[in-house]
């Protein structure tokens, strides 16, 4: 991760928005997380060892949704560093979906026809332990506001592109000023029609959906799609529902993509609850990803045969529009591979 993109309490000015102050106060010390949740200190040595490779980071508001005293809480499991992350597992590596090979220009991934993905920052509000970019070399790959010019030039020079996808990191880690400046540049590219933003922040840091963000999104001429990332129904509390409804009321199309994770959501009952909670908040389930086989995440993997059985049970529980598509992302493929 790019340390220069990390927001800390010392770096946030007094006039910062509420979401920036909340982000600056995120928990980054495993000992503090264990104390907050009344967990056994025996977990600390392994948590510190794993966080040395991939740092802990989790907003305090997300922590309040976790059950105290439960080391297997499904929300905690997504963020708590574990000793299992240090185990070597065959087939798990640092670039599981071939991002490096897909770099078409600094900060641009171009895998699929008609759309290109911009890595606009390496910063995130939360460090998910299964993140497929947990070891991605953002600085070397041209991600970040200081290097947007070649990425924008690439988009301008390819008239086949209809959609710009903002990713990272989390693009909503950008300030409203920087995000607005980027969207203004995208607006000037005549062949672009759609803007898609992939962000976990409306889920883990709903304060990010404020008047400033809505004003920025309202100024673009592009059709706006926001793909959020929730894996468990308990992630969607009242504050999240309110944030998502504000986005929907502003005319933003809302979709969700989840990852199938061992010990988090590997049951039809949990996934059905997730789809119901999402739809009640104005979000359509979009993708359910099989785990990208990144180093350090093998303990989250659900076998494909088990995943297919879960999906069959899910189809029996839900109407078709609430069933996400089960997919796997494979390097070099022209689209996501249905499972």
């Amino acid at each position: 991760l790019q340390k220069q993109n990390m927001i800390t309490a010392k770096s946030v000015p007094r006039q910062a928005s509420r979401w920036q102050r909340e982000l600056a106060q995120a928990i980054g010390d495993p000992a503090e997380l264990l104390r907050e949740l009344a967990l056994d200190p025996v977990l600390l040595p392994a948590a510190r060892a794993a966080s040395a490779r991939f740092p802990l980071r989790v907003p305090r508001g997300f922590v309040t949704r976790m059950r105290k005293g439960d080391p297997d809480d499904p929300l905690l499991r997504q963020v708590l560093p574990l000793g299992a992350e240090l185990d070597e597992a065959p087939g798990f590596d640092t670039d599981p979906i071939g991002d490096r090979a897909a770099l078409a220009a600094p900060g641009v991934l171009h895998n699929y026809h008609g759309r290109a993905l911009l890595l606009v920052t390496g910063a995130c509000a939360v460090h998910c332990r299964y993140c497929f970019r947990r070891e991605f070399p953002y600085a070397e790959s041209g991600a970040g506001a200081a290097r947007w010019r070649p990425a924008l030039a690439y988009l301008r020079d390819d008239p086949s592109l209809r959609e710009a996808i903002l990713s990272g990191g989390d693009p909503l880690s950008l300030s409203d000023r920087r995000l607005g400046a980027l969207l203004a540049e995208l607006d000037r590219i005549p062949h672009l029609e759609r803007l898609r933003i992939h962000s976990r922040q409306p889920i883990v840091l709903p304060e990010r959906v404020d008047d400033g963000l809505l004003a920025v999104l309202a100024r673009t001429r592009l059709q706006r799609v926001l793909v959020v990332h929730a894996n468990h129904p308990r992630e969607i509390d009242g504050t999240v529902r309110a944030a998502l409804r504000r986005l929907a009321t502003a005319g933003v199309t809302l979709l969700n993509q989840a990852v199938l994770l061992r010990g988090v959501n590997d049951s039809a009952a949990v996934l059905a609850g997730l789809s119901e909670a999402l739809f009640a908040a104005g979000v359509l389930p979009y993708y359910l990803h099989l785990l990208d086989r990144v180093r350090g995440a093998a303990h989250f993997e659900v076998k494909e045969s088990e995943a297919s059985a879960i999906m069959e049970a899910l189809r029996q529980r839900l109407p078709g529009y609430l069933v996400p598509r089960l997919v796997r992302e494979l390097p070099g493929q022209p689209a996501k591979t249905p499972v």
Side-chain angles (χ1 to χ4, degrees):
L1 290 174
Q2 291 175 283
K3 292 182 179 179
Q4 63 267 33
N5 282 335
M6 297 292 285
I7 300 174
T8 65
K10 292 181 180 179
S11 67
V12 175
R14 291 181 181 178
Q15 69 273 22
S17 299
R18 180 187 173 195
W19 72 269
Q20 291 174 312
R21 295 193 298 270
E22 293 285 341
L23 186 54
Q25 297 296 328
I27 294 175
D29 180 359
E32 183 179 6
L33 181 61
L34 297 181
R35 285 195 304 270
E36 287 288 322
L37 294 171
L39 292 169
D40 193 331
V42 74
L43 297 169
L44 185 56
R48 280 189 166 148
S51 64
R53 176 181 286 182
F54 181 47
L56 166 71
R57 185 172 178 79
V58 55
R60 293 174 186 276
F62 193 63
V63 174
T64 63
R65 300 174 222 168
M66 301 173 187
R67 289 189 295 257
K68 287 193 173 184
D70 183 1
D72 297 319
D73 178 85
L75 276 60
L76 173 66
R77 187 168 169 78
Q78 297 178 58
V79 302
L80 178 64
L82 297 175
E85 297 178 29
L86 304 178
D87 296 338
E88 294 297 326
F92 287 76
D93 60 40
T94 60
D95 186 18
I97 65 170
D99 274 343
R100 293 176 181 85
L103 277 169
V108 180
L109 299 176
H110 194 177
N111 286 311
Y112 305 146
H113 177 76
R115 53 213 186 270
L117 184 147
L118 278 68
L119 296 169
V120 298
T121 179
C124 280
V126 63
H127 291 174
C128 302
R129 309 312 298 179
Y130 52 87
C131 177
F132 66 94
R133 291 195 181 119
R134 54 183 281 164
E135 296 191 51
F136 186 77
Y138 288 101
E140 299 170 22
S141 302
R147 305 183 183 184
W148 285 345
R149 186 168 296 176
L152 291 165
Y154 180 87
L155 267 60
R156 279 193 295 269
D157 291 344
D158 187 344
S160 73
L161 295 174
R162 294 290 179 266
E163 181 173 4
I165 304 170
L166 306 189
S167 185
D170 192 315
L172 294 189
S173 298
L174 298 175
S175 67
D176 292 337
R177 180 182 62 80
R178 286 190 172 184
L179 181 62
L182 176 58
L183 299 195
E185 292 291 340
L186 295 174
D187 271 353
R188 297 187 186 102
I189 301 177
H191 47 267
L192 288 181
E193 299 171 357
R194 295 183 300 278
L195 168 72
R196 193 195 323 172
I197 299 174
H198 285 202
S199 176
R200 187 124 158 86
Q201 288 203 15
I203 304 298
V204 302
L205 189 73
E207 295 86 354
R208 182 64 184 97
V209 184
D210 58 10
D211 292 344
L213 176 62
L214 294 174
V216 168
L217 294 176
R219 286 196 290 270
T220 180
R221 66 168 179 83
L222 301 170
Q223 293 177 292
R224 299 152 301 162
V225 179
L226 178 59
V227 183
V228 298
H229 177 182
N231 296 314
H232 193 279
R234 278 190 24 236
E235 295 180 41
I236 303 171
D237 67 357
T239 61
V240 173
R241 285 190 292 271
L244 294 171
R245 286 170 183 153
R246 290 194 76 188
L247 288 161
T249 300
V252 179
T253 298
L254 297 174
L255 306 171
N256 182 70
Q257 59 180 359
V259 181
L260 187 59
L261 300 167
R262 174 75 61 194
V264 174
N265 59 7
D266 52 334
S267 79
V270 170
L271 290 172
L274 175 61
S275 286
E276 297 278 13
L278 287 165
F279 191 68
V283 183
L284 273 177
Y286 177 38
Y287 282 135
L288 177 63
H289 290 263
L290 291 182
L291 181 75
D292 293 318
R293 306 187 89 202
V294 66
R295 184 175 73 160
H299 55 293
F300 284 114
E301 188 169 46
V302 177
K303 292 182 180 179
E304 187 172 316
S305 58
E306 185 179 349
S308 296
I310 290 171
M311 290 302 297
E312 180 58 33
L314 192 61
R315 282 189 285 269
Q316 294 174 17
R317 286 174 175 259
L318 294 174
Y321 61 88
L322 291 185
V323 180
R325 284 170 281 179
L326 181 65
V327 296
R328 182 190 292 280
E329 191 147 10
L330 298 172
Q333 294 301 304
K336 291 178 174 61
T337 302
V339 177

